Amino acid sequence: MRGTACWPGDVWGDGMAEQVGIIGGGIVGIALARELTAAGAEVTVLEKESRLAQHQTGHNSGVVHAGLYYAPGSMKATLCAEGRGLLREFCADRSLPYRAVGKLVVAVDAAELPALAEIERRSRANAVPDLTRIDDPGRLREVEPHVAGVAAVHSPQTAVVDYAAITEALAQDVRAAGGRVLLHTEVTGIRIERGRVRVITRTGAHLFDRVVAAAGLQSDLIARLVGADPAPRILPFRGEYWMLKPSRTGLVRGMIYPVPDPRFPFLGVHFTRGVYDDVHVGPNALPALAREGYRWRDVSLADTWGSLRWPGAPALARRHWRMGVDEISGSLVKALYFRKARRFIPELAMGDLARKSGAGVRAQAWGRAGDLLDDFAVDQVGPVTVLRNAPSPAATSALAIARYLRAHHLGSPAAR
Ligand SMILES: Cc1cc2nc3c(=O)[nH]c(=O)nc-3n(C[C@H](O)[C@H](O)[C@H](O)COP(=O)(O)OP(=O)(O)OC[C@H]3O[C@@H](n4cnc5c(N)ncnc54)[C@H](O)[C@@H]3O)c2cc1C
């Protein structure tokens, strides 16, 4: 018997393959399901929404990061490099769009040069392919004809993809290999019983040998269901995008990024030419008022109160209030958002930002001291593995995260 739906009290069946439940149908959960079905496990994915990739995976910048920013040796650095290669191969195999449009990280003035030098140092340590440093504004404009700046690093292999389409294609492999993907299946409880795991959903219960949660914005709530430490908690950060008017998309060839503020784990408002040739501008980074708060009016008192009461809240507010005020003003007043974007493209006019084109909410974990976790983080509670912090570049890294979880947390899943 596989990890089939059964009500509490049903008899656990005996099968040859290990039965693994995966909570979350974003790119990480589905990539792991594919990895484990290929290894012979019997896998069931439990996803609360009516479709896959409805949260972070379907609301992001679509960038395949080349590894410029991450601390050398960190999980982000190693899994991003491995994941990028696997993703490129997967897209080629499945004829999915993968366009290496290239990225320029631009220092607009001399004050940003030390931070740019650190990005260059990290990029070289992370073996970012074909990276070059540009110190001549004329040469900058050979890469991006409309950009203004004093220096940049150029990563020609940074690419764009459609992560929702990739997730669907990965899910096809899961189903073809006998795995199950259950939609409309929200997990509400988890109990460890004699070494096995009973997962309770709104539509029934399931028994598994092991469970892995890749639940993004809800990952800390899932961790609590299995009795893990409440820290780190998820602090949802909304990122809003504008589109460039179709007649003005010629202002951007590939990607134009700012030099990021090293005190903050986000990359700053940037220009990205997507796989369908649209150019979006964003995302900013605002505290969201709900875990799945895509608009200002999406408010969850429980989520907001939970964040305000978190022990690290005063420290975080003290450290980042200035940036918070800046980001909130930019969200409410288009002219302020526009001013940030125009630093990089002086020709940009306010009317070129056509309309807000949606938003994503980042699942960023923070600790009790108000620290924003930098690296990916995984908790293990008996037979349950919870991926607790998987923000950017986890979409780029998903296929490598799947391999990592299999090797380090799931052992050999086919052998029960
Ligand atoms: C604005 C923004 C821009 C980004 N840009 C990039 C980028 O350019 N490149 C990049 O590599 N990364 C980027 N990221 C990060 C990337 O999108 C995420 O790291 C990645 O999608 C994480 O995938 P996931 O599967 O862990 O989470 P998600 O895609 O959030 O999936 C989690 C799933 O779990 C489900 N779930 C939650 N709770 C339950 C429950 N109780 N029961 C059942 N199901 C549940 C949810 O419905 C959801 O489908 C960006 C993120 C954002 C928000």
Side-chain angles (χ1 to χ4, degrees):
M1 182 176 125
R2 319 160 62 232
T4 43
C6 55
W7 291 95
D10 279 6
V11 178
W12 174 257
D14 203 7
M16 292 301 290
E18 190 166 57
Q19 299 176 340
V20 182
I22 295 177
I23 304 170
I27 192 166
V28 176
I30 297 295
L32 179 63
R34 177 173 177 269
E35 177 76 22
L36 297 181
T37 47
E42 294 189 356
V43 174
T44 304
V45 178
L46 309 168
E47 165 55 53
K48 69 185 171 70
E49 303 293 349
S50 58
R51 282 188 295 150
L52 300 175
Q54 286 300 284
H55 292 291
Q56 295 175 94
T57 301
H59 294 91
N60 62 37
S61 301
V63 176
V64 181
H65 289 289
L68 279 73
Y69 307 98
Y70 317 118
S74 62
M75 284 173 79
K76 278 190 178 177
T78 52
L79 297 178
C80 177
E82 184 187 343
R84 184 171 56 82
L86 294 171
L87 201 62
R88 195 181 47 223
E89 275 169 32
F90 182 75
C91 289
D93 275 359
R94 305 300 284 269
S95 303
L96 289 164
Y98 182 104
R99 290 175 62 191
V101 294
K103 160 170 161 163
L104 209 52
V105 180
V106 181
V108 171
D109 55 46
E112 293 173 343
L113 292 177
L116 185 70
E118 174 60 11
I119 297 290
E120 186 186 359
R121 186 192 71 76
R122 288 187 173 203
S123 304
R124 300 218 181 272
N126 293 338
V128 171
D130 305 328
L131 188 96
T132 53
R133 161 92 187 206
I134 304 177
D135 283 300
D136 165 16
R139 169 76 190 107
L140 269 185
R141 282 191 291 276
E142 282 171 26
V143 181
E144 283 289 353
H146 302 276
V147 82
V150 293
V153 292
H154 182 220
S155 161
Q157 299 300 333
T158 300
V160 284
V161 291
D162 177 342
Y163 282 118
I166 290 171
T167 305
E168 286 296 344
L170 292 167
Q172 280 171 11
D173 288 357
V174 173
R175 294 185 184 104
R180 298 192 313 154
V181 178
L182 306 182
L183 302 173
H184 302 286
T185 306
E186 181 173 355
V187 172
T188 55
I190 301 177
R191 288 206 300 270
I192 299 173
E193 297 174 352
R194 295 186 298 278
R196 287 179 175 153
V197 193
R198 185 178 296 276
V199 177
I200 296 130
T201 76
R202 292 203 186 279
T203 49
H206 304 252
L207 275 168
F208 298 109
D209 296 312
R210 300 182 195 208
V211 165
V212 183
L217 291 154
Q218 320 281 340
S219 56
D220 56 335
L221 301 182
I222 298 286
R224 282 185 191 209
L225 291 180
V226 285
D229 188 335
R233 187 185 157 87
I234 292 297
L235 182 62
F237 275 95
R238 185 166 72 245
E240 300 163 327
Y241 294 93
W242 287 79
M243 300 296 292
L244 279 197
K245 262 190 345 207
S247 59
R248 298 293 278 163
T249 55
L251 289 173
V252 179
R253 274 189 185 159
M255 294 171 224
I256 302 174
Y257 273 64
V259 177
D261 182 334
R263 294 166 302 168
F264 216 49
F266 308 125
L267 302 181
V269 166
H270 47 87
F271 294 81
T272 308
R273 177 173 287 274
V275 274
Y276 305 113
D277 267 335
D278 48 317
V279 174
H280 55 247
V281 188
N284 53 3
L286 316 154
L289 301 177
R291 284 170 192 269
E292 294 168 6
Y294 293 94
R295 299 161 303 181
W296 275 112
R297 63 176 180 274
D298 297 332
V299 179
S300 154
L301 291 180
D303 291 346
T304 306
W305 184 234
S307 296
L308 291 173
R309 282 180 50 225
W310 187 246
L316 185 85
R318 261 196 315 278
R319 233 172 280 147
H320 295 301
W321 71 269
R322 236 179 251 283
M323 179 166 279
V325 169
D326 190 46
E327 294 286 309
I328 290 167
S329 334
S331 164
L332 298 173
V333 182
K334 180 182 174 186
L336 298 176
Y337 198 98
F338 162 71
R339 209 161 62 195
K340 255 187 213 169
R342 200 184 49 179
R343 284 184 79 223
F344 299 91
I345 303 185
E347 279 169 67
L348 191 73
M350 181 109 121
D352 295 339
L353 297 184
R355 58 181 170 80
K356 273 199 180 166
S357 66
V361 184
R362 305 168 181 88
Q364 173 63 49
W366 59 325
R368 284 197 177 81
D371 48 312
L372 298 174
L373 250 70
D374 199 29
D375 212 354
F376 300 147
V378 187
D379 284 330
Q380 187 70 43
V381 181
V384 181
T385 308
V386 182
L387 186 56
R388 190 80 85 101
N389 195 45
S392 184
T396 304
S397 317
L399 294 166
I401 293 175
R403 284 189 174 180
Y404 171 89
L405 289 173
R406 181 184 160 206
H408 296 272
H409 290 269
L410 291 145
S412 167
R416 186 168 163 192

